[in-house]
Amino acid sequence: MAGYQDLLRTPGVARMIAAQLTARFPSGMMSLAILLHVEQQTGSYGSAGLVLAATSVGQAVAGPITSRWMGAWGMRRVLTLTSAVCVLAVLGLGLLPLSVPGYMAFGLLAGLSTPPIQAAVRTIYPKLVNSRQLTPLFSLDASLQEIIWVLAPVVITLVSTQVGTTEGLLLVAVILVGGAAWFIASPEVGRVRIPRSRSALGTVVLKPPVLLAAVVGFLLIGACAAVEVGVVATFEHGSLAAGLVLAVFSVGSLAGGLAFGHIPIGPWAMARRLLIVTVGLALTMVSLNVFWLGGTLIVAGIGIAPALAVLFAITSASVKFSETAEAFGWTGTGQLIGAAAGSAVAGFLVDATDPRGAYLAATIFAAVGLLVAVVFVRFFPDLRHRDAAPRPDTEPLAVTPS
């Protein structure tokens, strides 16, 4: 912990972490807020699912594009524009009397305009710390984001069920305004300028480490989404046990990230972390007892944040600085698609069998991720003796013959 204390004392680091967690907090609330509101207004979970699908499609499509815009127009301009449009879309969802197509249109707009906070902050990090501190910073970031997934669903469920679903969406909009304003106003956002990328859109994702980060992120988050479906199916929607078990899963991830964040990242780092996740998830199928599930998900969770830290580090280390935002946009898109796929597959298997089907889906997603990490291990950069900072953008100098 002393290493993390030194890291947080580095000028700007604690402020950036706090601001970006606040700005991203609505991302842990929005899906559930939309689900509860649209279901209440239409009386149909199917309609709510369509609206959520439209929102997810918008987020997946926009991630690489809005992240790339930050190099062309500047971070503050892009973050301000997207935040403003996203807030208006959320307000439209909450306040306007809409049909299902109308809800889908506003959901799509909210997804398309989701501010690329995650890509922005992970582009800024290499400029805040020295090379030795960057990998622990990525690990700390991956660990602390679990706070969002523990608290945000509880907060939005409490407000939407006890006060009202419209008020739930208004709360999302208020936190988005405050969090985005804090992040955008941070001095580091103004100081760090991303050079305009000279490569075509999408070129960066063809680099093997970035592609691996997107694929493994898809599988890892797919596994996490399947676990959520399984836990809800095991303990039913309103059960306190479901919330506690999911909280334990996140606490395991938080603990793993803090415990292993200082370990240097070699080519086999991802495989070792995914092995922990896969073993823990496989053990969930032994029993659906609440204590057994809690214990096995703690084990699985220990590998989650460390695996995400590897994804962030190999992405950053494999690209030029001008490409970092777009690269993180693509990895974020992979994770969003993984969440949708994991939820869908797990839901189908639960309907066809029982809640164990969801844990089977989670195990398969994690096991395939482990297989990818093993088969393609030579494409994972060795960061044990080098830092994870992106390469600087350099241009050839024109030399005038004398």
Side-chain angles (χ1 to χ4, degrees):
M1 294 305 296
Y4 291 121
Q5 291 172 359
D6 291 340
L7 189 61
L8 291 173
R9 282 196 287 265
T10 303
V13 170
R15 178 173 54 239
M16 271 285 93
I17 290 176
Q20 66 98 5
L21 286 176
T22 305
R24 291 172 55 208
F25 198 80
S27 65
M29 306 169 72
M30 191 180 299
S31 294
L32 192 51
I34 292 173
L35 174 70
L36 293 170
H37 183 71
V38 176
E39 190 279 328
Q40 184 184 81
Q41 297 301 313
T42 64
S44 168
Y45 277 106
S47 297
L50 289 174
V51 178
L52 283 181
T55 305
S56 297
V57 167
Q59 290 173 327
V61 169
I65 297 173
T66 54
S67 298
R68 185 183 174 90
W69 283 352
M70 291 192 291
W73 299 342
M75 276 193 279
R76 277 185 168 152
R77 285 184 182 178
V78 173
L79 291 171
T80 301
L81 174 63
T82 53
S83 298
V85 174
C86 190
V87 167
L88 292 175
V90 172
L91 291 175
L93 283 167
L95 298 175
L96 297 179
L98 302 169
S99 62
V100 173
Y103 280 120
M104 290 179 66
F106 274 89
L108 177 65
L109 182 60
L112 289 170
S113 58
T114 299
I117 301 289
Q118 189 171 189
V121 74
R122 286 170 190 158
T123 300
I124 292 171
Y125 281 158
K127 300 298 184 182
L128 292 183
V129 297
N130 60 44
S131 58
R132 178 181 56 83
Q133 295 175 306
L134 186 55
T135 296
L137 178 54
F138 280 135
S139 184
L140 181 63
D141 177 88
S143 302
L144 292 180
Q145 73 177 7
E146 295 297 338
I147 295 171
I148 296 173
W149 309 115
V150 172
L151 294 181
V154 175
V155 171
I156 198 61
T157 300
L158 183 65
V159 173
S160 295
T161 57
Q162 302 303 313
V163 182
T165 58
T166 295
E167 287 78 6
L169 284 168
L170 292 177
L171 178 63
V172 172
V174 168
I175 296 177
L176 181 56
V177 169
W182 183 13
F183 183 79
I184 293 167
S186 299
E188 294 77 13
V189 176
R191 284 200 296 263
V192 175
R193 185 183 179 281
I194 305 172
R196 185 188 295 267
S197 177
R198 296 181 178 276
S199 58
L201 176 66
T203 303
V204 68
V205 81
L206 299 179
K207 297 185 177 184
V210 179
L211 183 58
L212 279 172
V215 171
V216 173
F218 165 88
L219 294 164
L220 179 62
I221 301 304
C224 295
V227 166
E228 292 178 3
V229 173
V231 171
V232 169
T234 302
F235 301 107
E236 301 182 353
H237 287 281
S239 170
L240 176 62
L244 291 176
V245 170
L246 288 174
V248 162
F249 188 34
S250 293
V251 168
S253 177
L254 174 61
L258 294 177
F260 301 132
H262 65 285
I263 298 176
I265 294 173
W268 287 97
M270 179 60 76
R272 286 194 293 267
R273 288 156 169 79
L274 289 179
L275 178 61
I276 296 171
V277 177
T278 303
V279 169
L281 293 180
L283 290 173
T284 59
M285 291 181 286
V286 173
S287 170
L288 298 183
N289 174 273
V290 61
F291 296 106
W292 178 264
L293 282 177
T296 54
L297 287 178
I298 283 180
V299 173
I302 286 171
I304 299 290
L308 288 171
V310 174
L311 292 183
F312 304 153
I314 66 171
T315 299
S316 175
S318 304
V319 298
K320 295 179 180 178
F321 182 63
S322 62
E323 300 170 324
T324 49
E326 185 188 343
F328 282 118
W330 281 109
T331 58
T333 290
Q335 292 170 28
L336 283 166
I337 297 172
S343 298
V345 172
F348 175 78
L349 289 177
V350 168
D351 289 341
T353 56
D354 63 17
R356 282 185 175 84
Y359 302 116
L360 174 62
T363 304
I364 292 172
F365 270 87
V368 174
L370 172 59
L371 181 63
V372 169
V374 170
V375 171
F376 297 99
V377 65
R378 67 190 182 93
F379 293 108
F380 283 87
D382 189 346
L383 303 180
R384 289 173 294 183
H385 306 294
R386 54 168 287 205
D387 62 74
R391 300 190 306 275
D393 288 82
T394 57
E395 297 180 357
L397 295 175
V399 179
T400 304
S402 55

